[in-house]
Amino acid sequence: MENPEHKTLVSKIIELFQMIFRKLSKLFDKVVFNKKGSLIISLFLAIIISISVNYEDISLSLFHDTTVSVTINDVSVETLADTENYVIEGIPSTVDVTITGSASDVQVYRQQANIRAIADVRRYTEGNVVVDIEISQLPSNLEATIQPATAKATISKKVSKQFTVTSELLLGTGQSSSDFESPVLSETTVTIKASQEQIDAIRSVKAIIDATGQTGDFNVEANVMAYDSSGTPLQVDISPATIQASVKRANSDSD
């Protein structure tokens, strides 16, 4: 014989589910047959369908950044060399660099890094060599293409030679060389260290004295420069690089 208490419990559970169903049914009717509610449901369903159809594209955009290439012009080239003993010629002063990688990585690298191109010739001695130009400390997630990627360099051993120094006055408006006596230099010779070709090209060595605006006696630290036959300054090592110069105003004792 069925337990009356058990029957009552089952009846209550059935009634509870029926009540919940009726409430959900009424809520559904209100949402579906309500204009705003139907719009919300339609929008929700459209989003679900769109995500389902374009899942691959969305995942690529979110998790796989687009690969880009950005060209940076006129990146300075630093030559690593024993410049104390060798002259290096033929390496360009700048190169163009194309950085390739994800858009975000390229952007971060450009904002945070001081891009440096390097030509390392320290393992070479005298002669003509082909040197690779590389980007210093390039992150592993980026690639770099350099133009030019190599350079034909000439490496020459430096030699030393002594030269006599003469003085040259730089004059301003309204001034004349006759306004001053011949400058007196603290040094009359200097030692120049350069390649043999550069040494042979030297035609004059001058202590450049700036007399602009000077109206009386003055002392100045003069830069020493070496020039070729056409008067073009040569990039050589000069020791000392500056010389103390003493200049007197002409006829200053009689003024």
Side-chain angles (χ1 to χ4, degrees):
M1 185 175 179
E2 187 175 1
N3 190 337
E5 293 182 1
H6 177 71
K7 184 178 180 180
T8 302
L9 179 60
V10 172
S11 299
K12 289 181 178 180
I13 293 175
I14 292 173
E15 289 176 359
L16 177 61
F17 275 104
Q18 288 176 342
M19 181 184 67
I20 294 173
F21 178 77
R22 285 194 298 270
K23 288 185 177 182
L24 288 176
S25 178
K26 289 180 180 179
L27 179 61
F28 180 78
D29 290 341
K30 287 182 179 180
V31 172
V32 170
F33 295 106
N34 179 276
K35 187 175 181 180
K36 291 184 179 179
S38 61
L39 287 175
I40 293 173
I41 291 176
S42 298
L43 179 61
F44 179 74
L45 291 175
I47 292 173
I48 295 297
I49 293 170
S50 176
I51 290 176
S52 300
V53 172
N54 300 300
Y55 173 76
E56 184 175 354
D57 293 338
I58 293 173
S59 63
L60 285 173
S61 299
L62 292 175
F63 304 107
H64 301 281
D65 206 347
T66 305
T67 297
V68 299
S69 293
V70 176
T71 299
I72 305 167
N73 297 318
D74 300 326
V75 175
S76 297
V77 178
E78 179 183 353
T79 302
L80 303 181
D82 179 8
T83 55
E84 181 68 24
N85 296 303
Y86 294 95
V87 176
I88 315 299
E89 297 175 301
I91 295 177
S93 59
T94 63
V95 293
D96 296 335
V97 180
T98 300
I99 303 296
T100 302
S102 70
S104 57
D105 289 339
V106 171
Q107 182 67 12
V108 169
Y109 179 67
R110 291 187 65 188
Q111 290 178 342
Q112 296 183 350
N114 179 21
I115 303 175
R116 295 170 57 234
I118 290 177
D120 191 348
V121 299
R122 290 174 295 185
R123 65 180 180 275
Y124 301 108
T125 54
E126 292 182 88
N128 298 317
V129 297
V130 176
V131 183
D132 292 328
I133 300 176
E134 301 175 339
I135 299 301
S136 174
Q137 298 180 340
L138 182 71
S140 59
N141 56 351
L142 298 176
E143 294 180 358
T145 303
I146 306 169
Q147 183 61 38
T150 61
K152 294 180 180 179
T154 300
I155 305 175
S156 306
K157 192 171 181 60
K158 287 183 177 181
V159 295
S160 297
K161 186 177 179 179
Q162 284 194 327
F163 288 84
T164 300
V165 183
T166 59
S167 60
E168 180 176 330
L169 281 175
L170 297 181
L171 302 171
T173 303
Q175 290 181 309
S176 171
S177 57
S178 60
D179 296 338
F180 302 95
E181 296 181 1
S182 297
V184 177
L185 303 177
S186 62
E187 304 280 349
T188 56
T189 61
V190 294
T191 300
I192 295 181
K193 195 173 183 179
S195 69
Q196 187 62 57
E197 183 179 0
Q198 289 174 316
I199 292 291
D200 294 340
I202 296 174
R203 292 293 177 268
S204 63
V205 179
K206 298 178 181 181
I208 308 302
I209 302 167
D210 189 358
T212 305
Q214 299 290 348
T215 57
D217 300 346
F218 67 94
N219 295 316
V220 67
E221 198 78 15
N223 292 321
V224 182
M225 302 290 294
Y227 299 90
D228 63 13
S229 58
S230 64
T232 302
L234 297 171
Q235 298 299 317
V236 294
D237 298 337
I238 304 176
S239 180
T242 60
I243 292 177
Q244 187 71 26
S246 178
V247 184
K248 289 184 176 295
R249 181 80 179 179
N251 304 318
S252 58
D253 292 340
S254 60
D255 289 346

